[in-house]
Every structure is written in C-alpha cells, then in structure tokens.
C-alpha cells in the first residue's frame, strides 16, 4: 500500500479534457486546471492506494484499479482515461464504490472546494443517503 504512485496522464491533459464520475454532480469538470485540481484533492483524501491494475487497454485507453480508505472507510476506485490522437488524456472517468462511501467522499470534496466555482460539482448536503420517509 502506497501513496507514491503519480499518474502519468495528470501532466498530459488535453486542453479540452473532461472529468466525470459518480461523485461529481452538476456536469463534468472541464479543462486541465480544474481536472488536475480535482484529481489532486481526491488523492489528498486517500489514505493509501493499493493497486490491482494499471495499464493500457485498447488503442486509446488506460485503466487504474485500486482500493483505498477515506477517513477509515473502504473505497474501491476504477479510473478510465481515454487518450486523444496526440496521446493526451481527453476524458477521465473515476468510479468509486461502495455508494455510501462515494457519497461521503463527494461531500468531503465539496468541503475541499467550498467557496470556489468547483464546489458546485460536489454534494453539499453531507452525502448521506436519506432513508425512506425523509429521515437520515
């Protein structure tokens, strides 16, 4: 388990790169500065990264699959990167599971970006699912 891994694609983002994921609300993150900021903040919340796979797939794809913890809660992560013809990361899609941890993670990201334009992309309500009948 480590935090030393640095994704090559983070320094090769296309000018029109988008970032998406279940933890992102309000549309995709757009542009290299915004995507880099979100990825860097997310990695800062991870307690470690235990990789099961990193590597190319197909002609233009790259995958990362790992587990981590965020504030003691387990989180599994799959990152799919699609490269453009120049070899730059054109689209980054990050999927987290389980859902409850992903929702809490989204709220932590909201706290990280509070007061900035990126905050609108994350859950402000604490990320806790509401039980039937409206009780938390």
């Amino acid at each position: 388990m480590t935090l030393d891994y640095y994704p090559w694609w983070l320094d090769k983002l296309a000018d029109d790169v988008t970032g998406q994921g279940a933890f992102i609300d309000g549309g995709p993150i757009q542009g290299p500065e915004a995507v880099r900021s979100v990825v860097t903040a997310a990695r800062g919340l991870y307690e470690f990264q235990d990789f099961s796979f990193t590597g190319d797939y197909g002609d233009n794809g790259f995958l990362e699959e790992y587990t981590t913890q965020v504030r003691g809660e387990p989180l599994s992560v799959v990152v799919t990167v699609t490269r453009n013809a120049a070899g730059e990361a054109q689209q980054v899609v990050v999927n987290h599971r389980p859902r409850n941890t992903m929702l809490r993670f989204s709220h932590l990201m909201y706290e990280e970006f509070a007061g900035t334009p990126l905050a609108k992309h994350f859950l402000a309500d604490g990320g806790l699912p509401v039980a039937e009948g409206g009780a938390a």
Side-chain angles (χ1 to χ4, degrees):
M1 292 190 241
T2 182
L3 279 173
D4 326 357
Y5 175 80
Y6 186 83
W8 64 266
W9 50 265
L10 197 54
D11 291 331
K12 293 191 83 172
L13 298 172
D15 288 340
D16 59 348
V17 65
T18 60
Q20 301 175 56
F23 75 110
I24 296 172
D25 198 20
I29 307 294
Q30 298 182 340
E33 289 179 27
V35 170
R36 188 175 294 106
S37 292
V38 168
V39 170
T40 301
R43 293 181 73 222
L45 293 172
Y46 295 161
E47 295 173 19
F48 59 85
Q49 289 178 290
D50 187 10
F51 284 88
S52 57
F53 182 81
T54 61
D56 292 330
Y57 77 94
D59 293 334
N60 299 312
F62 184 79
L63 286 175
E64 298 172 353
E65 187 172 356
Y66 54 91
T67 57
T68 187
Q69 286 186 343
V70 174
R71 300 220 174 142
E73 294 187 46
L75 192 63
S76 295
V77 185
V78 177
V79 179
T80 306
V81 178
T82 304
R83 292 184 293 257
N84 62 18
E88 300 166 320
Q90 181 76 54
Q91 182 182 55
V92 179
V93 179
V94 183
N95 288 299
H96 297 93
R97 61 193 184 283
R99 182 175 179 265
N100 285 348
T101 306
M102 178 275 296
L103 292 170
R104 287 183 180 94
F105 178 74
S106 184
H107 179 68
L108 292 171
M109 292 293 287
Y110 173 81
E111 291 176 348
E112 287 283 318
F113 289 103
T116 74
L118 287 172
K120 71 180 180 188
H121 291 282
F122 306 104
L123 298 175
D125 65 1
L128 301 174
V130 176
E132 195 169 315

